[in-house]
Amino acid sequence: MAIFKEIRNECLIRELQRELNTDVLLFGFDGVVYFGNLQRIEDCRVAYLSPAIEAESNVEILSPGGELVDVRFLHVDLWQIVAKATGVRTDPFDNGGRVPTNSLASSDPAVVLTQTEEPRSTDTTSRQESHELICTLRRMIGDDVVITTLGGFLFEGRLGDVDDELAFLSVEEILGPATSSGISSDDVSNAVINLEAITSVSSSADS
C-alpha cells in the first residue's frame, strides 16, 4: 500500500479547512516544511498557499538540508503532511541563520508539489500507526511532552488533547531534521500532529 495512503489523515485535512486565509506551517513526511497563507483546499487533498502575512516576501520552503527557497505560490499534497502549526506570530525562518538559497518562478515545475500518482509499494513495507503510542499519549494529556514523527521532526510542548487521530500541542519548540535552532513559541503557538505519523512519545525533561 502506498505510503501516502498509510499516513493520510482526513481529520487533519478537516482541521486545515478551518484555517483558510491564515498563515500555517505544514510539515511533510520527507522532512520539508512549507510556510504560507492557506488559501484553499482542492479535492480534500491539495492545499494552495500564497505568501504568508508574516513572511518577508514569498511562500517559503525549508528543505531537510536547511536551505530556504522562496516561491510565488505552492500546491502541496496533504496526504503526506505529518503536522501543522498555527498561531503564527512571526516568520519562523527569519532568524538570521537561514538565508534563501533560491527563488523560483511560479511556472517552475518544482514548485508544484502535488502527488498525482501513488508510489508503488507492497504490504510488507506498509506502515501502521502505533496504537500503543497513542494510548500512552492519552494518559499524558496536560503534561509537557516530546513527540517525534516521520520526517525527522520533534515537537515539544504541553499536550492539550488527543482526539480524532490528532494530538493538539501548545508549542514550546519544534525541531527539524537538519536544524540546530528550532521554531519556538515566539514564532507559533499551536501544533496539531498526525497520529498516523508519530514515531515516539516521551515526557519532557523540564516537566
Side-chain angles (χ1 to χ4, degrees):
M1 188 176 288
I3 184 65
F4 283 4
K5 280 190 174 181
E6 292 297 326
I7 66 171
R8 69 175 176 181
N9 191 315
E10 294 179 0
C11 299
L12 181 59
I13 294 174
R14 286 196 293 271
E15 279 286 318
L16 280 168
Q17 287 172 332
R18 294 193 279 266
E19 302 287 353
L20 297 181
N21 300 311
T22 61
D23 290 352
V24 297
L25 283 157
L26 301 177
F27 300 84
F29 91 103
D30 53 0
V32 177
V33 186
Y34 312 94
F35 177 48
N37 190 272
L38 181 61
Q39 293 295 302
R40 64 180 182 270
I41 294 176
E42 302 164 347
D43 299 324
C44 293
R45 179 162 183 176
V46 176
Y48 176 83
L49 273 63
S50 64
I53 297 170
E54 296 295 340
E56 291 296 322
S57 55
N58 297 310
V59 180
E60 297 174 324
I61 303 173
L62 182 65
S63 77
E67 295 178 330
L68 188 62
V69 177
D70 285 346
V71 297
R72 295 179 186 173
F73 66 84
L74 174 70
H75 290 86
V76 60
D77 191 337
L78 294 178
W79 281 18
Q80 58 95 27
I81 296 301
V82 302
K84 69 164 185 170
T86 56
V88 178
R89 300 185 172 105
T90 184
D91 186 342
F93 303 146
D94 185 27
N95 61 6
R98 302 187 186 98
V99 179
T101 59
N102 204 352
S103 182
L104 302 179
S106 60
S107 59
D108 194 307
V111 178
V112 182
L113 299 174
T114 58
Q115 180 76 14
T116 56
E117 295 184 5
E118 295 170 358
R120 295 181 180 178
S121 182
T122 66
D123 288 341
T124 58
T125 60
S126 64
R127 169 186 167 80
Q128 255 188 334
E129 74 278 13
S130 171
H131 295 290
E132 290 79 9
L133 289 183
I134 295 172
C135 288
T136 300
L137 266 181
R138 292 186 189 279
R139 296 193 294 268
M140 300 172 74
I141 292 174
D143 295 346
D144 293 329
V145 301
V146 175
I147 301 172
T148 61
T149 69
L150 296 175
F153 296 108
L154 182 151
F155 298 85
E156 182 176 5
R158 179 67 56 87
L159 181 63
D161 197 7
V162 177
D163 189 38
D164 289 336
E165 303 174 2
L166 302 171
F168 298 83
L169 205 69
S170 296
V171 171
E172 179 64 29
E173 187 172 34
I174 302 171
L175 294 175
T179 57
S180 57
S181 60
I183 298 167
S184 75
S185 57
D186 293 333
D187 303 314
V188 300
S189 59
N190 305 302
V192 178
I193 300 167
N194 179 357
L195 294 182
E196 305 285 352
I198 63 174
T199 56
S200 74
V201 300
S202 55
S203 294
S204 173
D206 297 329
S207 60

